[in-house]
PDB file of all heavy atoms in Angstrom:
ATOM      1  N   VAL T  45      20.605 -44.044  -2.323  1.00 97.00           N
ATOM      2  CA  VAL T  45      20.607 -45.538  -2.461  1.00 97.00           C
ATOM      3  C   VAL T  45      19.490 -45.801  -3.543  1.00 97.00           C
ATOM      4  O   VAL T  45      18.378 -45.409  -3.433  1.00 97.00           O
ATOM      5  CB  VAL T  45      20.377 -46.295  -1.191  1.00 97.00           C
ATOM      6  CG1 VAL T  45      20.045 -47.711  -1.461  1.00 97.00           C
ATOM      7  CG2 VAL T  45      21.451 -46.138  -0.212  1.00 97.00           C
ATOM      8  N   ALA T 122      11.893 -42.616  -0.112  1.00 97.00           N
ATOM      9  CA  ALA T 122      11.110 -42.169  -1.205  1.00 97.00           C
ATOM     10  C   ALA T 122      10.071 -43.180  -1.522  1.00 97.00           C
ATOM     11  O   ALA T 122      10.254 -44.389  -1.062  1.00 97.00           O
ATOM     12  CB  ALA T 122      12.041 -41.788  -2.364  1.00 97.00           C
ATOM     13  N   LEU T 170       2.552 -37.231   1.612  1.00 97.00           N
ATOM     14  CA  LEU T 170       1.750 -37.929   0.508  1.00 97.00           C
ATOM     15  C   LEU T 170       0.903 -36.875  -0.094  1.00 97.00           C
ATOM     16  O   LEU T 170       0.809 -35.704   0.203  1.00 97.00           O
ATOM     17  CB  LEU T 170       0.890 -39.026   1.118  1.00 97.00           C
ATOM     18  CG  LEU T 170      -0.326 -38.672   2.047  1.00 97.00           C
ATOM     19  CD1 LEU T 170      -0.936 -40.016   2.564  1.00 97.00           C
ATOM     20  CD2 LEU T 170       0.057 -37.865   3.324  1.00 97.00           C
ATOM     21  N   PRO T 230       5.936 -30.717 -14.492  1.00 96.00           N
ATOM     22  CA  PRO T 230       5.838 -30.923 -13.132  1.00 96.00           C
ATOM     23  C   PRO T 230       6.395 -32.125 -12.573  1.00 96.00           C
ATOM     24  O   PRO T 230       6.354 -32.371 -11.351  1.00 96.00           O
ATOM     25  CB  PRO T 230       4.230 -30.911 -12.849  1.00 96.00           C
ATOM     26  CG  PRO T 230       3.706 -30.470 -14.185  1.00 96.00           C
ATOM     27  CD  PRO T 230       4.698 -30.880 -15.216  1.00 96.00           C
ATOM     28  N   GLY T 240      14.028 -30.383  -0.729  1.00 98.00           N
ATOM     29  CA  GLY T 240      14.188 -29.117  -0.078  1.00 98.00           C
ATOM     30  C   GLY T 240      13.833 -29.106   1.369  1.00 98.00           C
ATOM     31  O   GLY T 240      14.578 -28.590   2.280  1.00 98.00           O
TER      32      GLY T 240
END
Side-chain angles (χ1 to χ4, degrees):
Chain T
V45 170
L170 72 180

